[in-house]
């Protein structure tokens, strides 16, 4: 057998215990904090969780300088709790869901907000807004055991100035419910990542900005915005 071209290397996410977590797919939850749903102009009380996806290769580690992407003038940050699936399954019951989690980490769901906004207006898919090269940074992850995803401060600073603050306890759909809903749509597999939504305070970045994303009890995620791609 000869490959047509060299196969891409697997995307590996670092863990605090020395493991490398092979990333398979990336799922993201939309509007999972009421205050962010409101700032995006929707009603947080009436919508079940919904999902969009991104390529595994959009995941980059803490310490990366990510290029400001093409085709946007409004590239925005969203700090999020990331859930790493270690045991697959479909139609997982919420009561069993956390047993499928291998690790937790701090992520950023970077978004071309102008393209996302245009897609919303016309009822088109969100891919151009959300699925962007280097747009899903992920800090080192810690093993799931002993971490409670239902509480803990989540925040983000840009150049030392606080932009987003919240608490994991404010999630409309807690992690177990997110896994239950998501596994009713796709069979989850080991290596899948779930970005679980962002609190209020999202905003734009410019080249040179330094982003520090933090969740209580998890390793931090530090990213620099580089020059345009
Ligand atoms: Mn998001």
């Amino acid at each position: 057998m000869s490959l047509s071209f060299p196969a891409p290397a697997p995307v590996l996410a670092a863990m605090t215990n020395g493991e490398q977590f092979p990333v398979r797919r990336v799922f993201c939850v939309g509007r999972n904090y009421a205050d962010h749903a409101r700032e995006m102009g929707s009603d947080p009380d009436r919508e079940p969780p919904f999902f969009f996806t991104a390529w595994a290769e959009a995941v980059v580690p803490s310490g990366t300088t990510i290029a400001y992407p093409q085709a946007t003038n409004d590239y925005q940050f969203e700090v999020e709790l990331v859930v790493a699936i270690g045991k697959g399954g479909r139609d997982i019951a919420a009561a069993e869901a956390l047993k499928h989690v291998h690790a937790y980490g701090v992520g950023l769901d970077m978004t071309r907000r102008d393209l996302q906004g245009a897609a919303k207006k016309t009822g088109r898919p969100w891919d151009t807004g959300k699925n962007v090269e280097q747009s899903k940074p992920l800090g080192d992850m810690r093993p799931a055991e002993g971490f409670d995803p239902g509480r803990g401060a989540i925040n983000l600073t840009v150049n030392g100035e606080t932009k987003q603050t919240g608490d994991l306890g404010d999630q409309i759909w807690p992690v177990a419910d997110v896994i239950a809903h998501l596994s009713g749509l796709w069979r989850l597999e080991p290596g899948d990542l779930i970005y679980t939504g962002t609190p209020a305070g999202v905003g734009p970045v410019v080249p040179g900005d330094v982003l520090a994303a933090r969740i209580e009890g998890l390793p931090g995620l530090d990213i620099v915005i580089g020059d345009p791609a």
Side-chain angles (χ1 to χ4, degrees):
M1 183 191 73
S2 69
L3 295 172
S4 304
F5 47 84
V11 176
L12 301 174
M15 289 190 46
T16 54
N17 63 2
E19 288 178 20
Q20 296 286 321
F21 182 91
V23 179
R24 180 169 179 143
R25 298 175 296 188
V26 176
F27 297 94
C28 304
V29 184
R31 300 181 199 126
N32 201 21
Y33 292 77
D35 54 0
H36 174 65
R38 286 189 201 101
E39 78 177 349
M40 291 284 110
S42 61
D43 180 347
D45 299 324
R46 293 168 56 190
E47 295 174 351
F50 67 95
F51 304 96
F52 54 93
T53 59
W55 298 312
E57 67 198 54
V59 175
V60 296
S62 185
T64 302
T65 296
I66 64 172
Y68 194 97
Q70 67 200 98
T72 184
N73 291 303
D74 192 12
Y75 199 42
Q76 297 202 356
F77 50 77
E78 299 186 356
V79 60
E80 312 206 352
L81 172 68
V82 178
V83 175
I85 297 295
K87 178 184 156 199
R90 53 171 286 187
D91 295 323
I92 297 167
E96 298 296 311
L98 295 187
K99 296 176 187 166
H100 292 256
V101 179
H102 187 75
Y104 293 98
V106 180
L108 283 167
D109 172 19
M110 300 297 297
T111 303
R112 291 191 287 207
R113 193 72 71 200
D114 40 4
L115 297 188
Q116 184 201 22
K120 282 183 187 174
K121 272 188 193 148
T122 52
R124 291 176 180 165
W126 284 13
D127 300 60
T128 57
K130 289 291 194 178
N131 190 7
V132 181
E133 294 94 335
Q134 300 187 303
S135 68
K136 302 294 174 271
L138 176 61
D140 287 8
M141 297 193 293
R142 60 155 283 173
E145 194 171 318
F147 180 76
D148 177 1
R151 72 183 67 188
I154 175 171
N155 64 74
L156 178 127
T157 64
V158 178
N159 306 324
E161 184 183 336
T162 298
K163 299 289 188 180
Q164 292 190 269
T165 58
D167 193 281
L168 298 179
D170 297 333
Q171 291 193 332
I172 296 171
W173 298 96
V175 169
D177 291 316
V178 166
I179 291 171
H181 277 94
L182 188 58
S183 68
L185 293 166
W186 292 279
R187 183 191 156 78
L188 295 181
E189 301 291 352
D192 288 343
L193 297 177
I194 308 169
Y195 285 60
T196 61
T198 196
V202 299
V205 297
V206 296
D209 279 349
V210 177
L211 279 56
R214 298 288 184 269
I215 293 174
E216 196 178 343
L218 297 178
L221 166 61
D222 296 288
I223 290 293
V224 176
I225 306 300
D227 290 330

